Amino acid sequence: MMMAEEMDQFQLLEQKIDGLLELVGSLRKEKSALAEKTQIQEERLRDLAEEVETLKTARDKARQRILTLLDKIEKVEI
C-alpha cells in the first residue's frame, strides 16, 4: 500500500511540475509579445513626437509670417 501512495505522490509532483513548466512557457511567450508591443508603441510615440515638433515649427513660421504681414499693413495705413 505504501508503494502505491508514493507513486501517487510522485505522479502528483510530476503533474505539478509539468503544469509549472507550461505556465513558465506561456509567461515567456506573453513577455515576448508584450516586449514587442512596447517597442512598437515606443516607435509610434517617437514618430508622434517628431510630428508634433514639425507642426510646432510650421506654426511658428506661420506666426512669424503673419506678424510680418501685420507689420506691413500697419506701415501702409500710416
Side-chain angles (χ1 to χ4, degrees):
M1 200 62 139
M2 189 69 144
M3 193 66 118
E5 287 179 16
E6 288 178 2
M7 290 300 287
D8 287 343
Q9 288 179 345
F10 278 119
Q11 285 178 334
L12 181 61
L13 180 59
E14 186 177 1
Q15 289 173 353
K16 287 185 177 187
I17 289 173
D18 288 343
L20 285 173
L21 291 175
E22 286 180 30
L23 179 61
V24 167
S26 175
L27 290 173
R28 284 183 176 157
K29 286 179 184 178
E30 185 177 345
K31 178 185 174 188
S32 177
L34 290 173
E36 186 177 336
K37 286 180 182 180
T38 299
Q39 181 180 358
I40 290 168
Q41 291 300 323
E42 287 173 350
E43 289 171 2
R44 185 169 182 245
L45 184 60
R46 269 192 305 274
D47 291 344
L48 290 172
E50 288 176 12
E51 186 176 342
V52 165
E53 285 304 313
T54 300
L55 291 171
K56 283 181 180 179
T57 300
R59 180 196 64 199
D60 290 342
K61 286 180 182 178
R63 179 181 291 143
Q64 188 58 43
R65 289 182 72 191
I66 290 170
L67 291 174
T68 301
L69 291 172
L70 288 173
D71 189 46
K72 286 181 180 180
I73 291 171
E74 285 181 13
K75 289 179 181 177
V76 168
E77 291 180 2
I78 294 181

